DNA sequence: CTGTTAGCGCGTTCAG
DNA sequence: CTGAACGCGCTAACAG
């Protein structure tokens, strides 16, 4: 049988309140009683039942994390930050993966509520308004970490996409490139961060009196990329020497597309990405890209949630801007 | 205020027992009473508090998952299976990432016990005996999914490494390769699956009267690989035309090493991997490798845990053998 | 400093 | 079929 607080009390010959006091250090206890309690705890190998504890304190020390796919690098990197910081504050993660099913996400909201989680974090590529609504309705503080969408009114952590995009394009220009095409995702572009990246690209081109040329894909998968192969071909025919891609995946698809057609990266075409996951460093040539601090994004998000849990009332809604870094590697060639 | 069972009872003008009966469908309730209860639940938007429920039923419907790094592809793929199957049976995952710290893992065991999880799954590359001991001591059924270690006495899911390795090497031989080197991880090899892969390699070589040549690294990271670069060089000097690698990562490091030195894959050297994660299909050339069914490994593991939870007593300890597949891609060249 | 008591929200006897 | 009463394991007043 597993020992309960009663067993400890009996063995230490004190009341359960005293036991509770020593384990929580909540009120003064005589050295003698404390000693006996500690001893009994040791002997019985007693560990407080967190469920019972939660019931009375109304603190579950649980954060629900809804992701669209654990298998995605992006998600797992963010998760690292969430998990590790959560642990520092004694919070555990209950992980739910929806695979993009919005109905399932709604069920998750209900589930989280029933499990009495104290907060929630959504890591996703799509936007589920109903889910957010449900969470609010249930008064569960949440943060939305989205790979694409830019949600003004929400608890979000951001990076300055426009500036870093500007810098990246300027770097390409410094390397002698003049015909640079941008490759981004069109879907819902007005509500996504893609917009900022494209804006950064265009500012840089304009600043250097260069003509910009935008190509858009519908999604991030290889199929979407293949749909625009004609545009890629004609861009190259028109003398484009470098592609500024808004996502690492797109850059990778592009490089594969070109390599599979006998071109050389970066000798024939230069390519830059955006993200900086491990793959970009393993691929050859190593991809020049923007390192997005996924870990920190997760870390900041959970910190804010925890803060919000502490003082529900006066919660300052500052948006945190995370620094980014350009990783100059081997997919860009200096030309004359 | 959040509605409790009491509120529902009051509104429906019945006792809490009746409410409990309708939500659990545990005992017959008159249609009239049921209707009223259902209506009250609807109006009050009542959702049973799972914490309270757990306290009395002693069922937390929680499975603890201890991983060494969520950021690892391997781990996240397994996690998919665990999560998805768990969900089917109404179990949720509480995720703990140890980053390989054994002490932390011990704390996790305690934590899981306190959270009253009903089972645990460990997804790791190392082996923590103490952790397993703790779990047993706490009577928490667990499964060990290990990337390397082969643990006979445990709940494990396996694949026939030896056979598939044999087939892979035979495939290389069919492609005309005669001097084939094996590249595996030496650390604890007698207790890891690497042994089976190497055995498969050697059987195949022997079967075709070819001389085998084994190279070992100490770990899976790039640094460990670089430590054996001399051996790689001399293997090639000795005419090796193909490398049978025991892990995708090693194959990737190898290809990068060779490419960075001006060699061409597969024109100059053929390479095969083991794993089959996404990266191997994005890299160029696409890696010929073994597809390990990570998802299924996770799925099977949690199924067994759940089964064990159901009938603690008579639990048949059959080991499940999962099928594997060789993905023939572009990193192997047919030679004469 | 300490023990008694009253719940937390719910499932479950056990009489009716 | 139904309700009263008890208890799961623990914390938090409240007296003393």
């Amino acid at each position: 049988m597993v020992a309960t607080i009663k067993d400890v009390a009996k063995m230490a010959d004190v009341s359960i309140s005293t036991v509770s006091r020593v384990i929580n250090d909540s009120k003064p206890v005589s050295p003698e009683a404390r000693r006996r309690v500690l001893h009994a705890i040791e002997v019985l190998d007693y560990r407080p039942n967190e469920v019972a504890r939660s019931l009375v304190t109304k603190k579950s020390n649980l954060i629900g994390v809804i992701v669209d796919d654990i298998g995605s690098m992006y998600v797992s990197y963010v998760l690292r930050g969430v998990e590790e910081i959560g642990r520092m504050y004694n919070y555990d993660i209950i992980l739910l993966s929806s695979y993009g099913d919005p109905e399932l996400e709604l069920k998750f909201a209900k589930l989280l509520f029933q499990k009495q989680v104290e907060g929630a974090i959504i890591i996703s590529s799509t936007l589920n308004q109903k889910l957010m609504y449900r969470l609010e309705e249930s008064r569960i503080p949440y943060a939305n970490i989205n790979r694409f969408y830019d949600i003004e009114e929400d608890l979000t952590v951001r990076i300055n996409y426009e500036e870093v995009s500007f810098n990246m394009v300027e770097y390409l220009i410094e390397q002698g490139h003049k015909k640079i095409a941008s490759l981004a995702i069109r879907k819902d572009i007005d509500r996504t961060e893609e917009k900022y990246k494209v804006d950064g690209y265009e500012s840089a081109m304009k600043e250097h009196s260069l003509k910009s040329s935008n190509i858009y894909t519908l999604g991030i998968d290889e199929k979407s990329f293949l749909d625009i192969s004609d545009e890629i071909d004609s861009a190259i025919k028109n003398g484009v020497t470098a592609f500024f891609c808004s996502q690492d995946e797109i850059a990778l698809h592009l490089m594969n597309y070109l390599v599979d057609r006998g071109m050389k990266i970066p000798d024939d075409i230069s390519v830059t990405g955006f993200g900086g996951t491990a793959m970009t460093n393993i691929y050859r040539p190593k991809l020049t890209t923007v390192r997005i601090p996924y870990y920190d994004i997760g870390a900041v998000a959970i910190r804010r949630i925890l803060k919000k849990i502490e003082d529900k009332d006066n919660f300052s809604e500052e948006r945190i801007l995370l620094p980014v870094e350009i990783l100059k590697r081997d997919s860009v060639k200096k030309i004359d």
Side-chain angles (χ1 to χ4, degrees), chain A residues 25-55:
Chain A
D25 226 1
S26 49
K27 293 223 172 164
V29 172
S30 73
E32 169 57 14
R34 155 165 282 119
R35 206 192 49 68
R36 290 213 309 276
V37 169
L38 257 18
H39 178 254
I41 288 178
E42 180 72 22
V43 173
L44 298 173
D45 192 27
Y46 166 74
R47 280 80 150 271
N49 179 328
E50 284 296 334
V51 173
R53 222 176 214 179
S54 296
L55 183 59

Side-chain angles (χ1 to χ4, degrees), chain A residues 125-289:
Chain A
S125 311
T126 55
L127 219 48
N128 190 339
Q129 304 281 7
K130 275 194 189 169
L131 170 61
M132 296 190 260
Y133 177 69
R134 272 278 180 89
L135 256 14
E136 272 159 30
E137 197 183 37
S138 304
R139 302 199 182 300
I140 297 176
Y142 70 93
N144 223 313
I145 295 176
N146 200 289
R147 181 172 190 174
F148 300 121
Y149 289 87
D150 174 55
I151 317 152
E152 277 300 334
E153 56 284 341
D154 250 318
L155 256 186
T156 348
V157 183
R158 300 205 49 229
I159 70 177
N160 195 333
Y161 290 108
E162 184 161 351
E163 182 180 293
V164 71
S165 298
F166 183 94
N167 293 340
M168 179 63 103
V169 174
E170 200 154 56
Y171 165 69
L172 285 171
I173 295 171
E174 282 164 19
Q175 301 304 303
H177 295 276
K178 290 186 165 34
K179 291 218 174 189
I180 304 169
S182 128
L183 213 48
I185 299 177
R186 161 162 289 139
K187 184 163 182 295
D188 290 341
I189 193 160
D190 288 336
R191 292 156 56 206
T192 72
E193 289 153 347
E194 297 291 283
K195 182 183 49 187
Y196 301 109
K197 299 177 189 169
V198 172
D199 284 353
Y201 158 76
E202 290 188 329
S203 307
M205 294 301 272
K206 196 170 175 184
E207 177 112 353
H208 293 268
S209 311
L210 262 21
K211 212 173 112 247
S212 58
S213 138
N214 295 292
I215 304 178
Y216 291 101
T217 85
L218 248 44
I220 204 167
D221 54 311
E222 186 163 14
K223 207 192 144 306
S224 305
F225 177 82
L226 264 16
D227 286 345
I228 57 158
S229 54
D230 286 352
E231 296 181 55
I232 301 292
D233 292 342
S234 71
I236 292 176
K237 201 170 296 167
N238 289 330
V240 163
T241 59
F243 286 91
F244 165 75
C245 304
S246 67
Q247 302 284 344
D248 281 343
E249 284 87 338
I250 295 179
L252 258 8
H253 293 146
L254 173 64
M255 291 195 290
N256 281 339
Y257 177 78
L258 299 178
V259 168
D260 290 352
R261 268 157 199 71
M263 281 179 251
K264 300 241 180 306
I265 315 286
D267 297 336
D268 300 330
I269 300 288
S270 291
V271 176
T272 70
F274 219 108
T277 46
M279 185 124 51
T280 62
N281 204 29
I282 289 176
Y283 193 92
R284 287 297 183 273
K286 294 185 183 179
L287 184 65
T288 289
T289 188

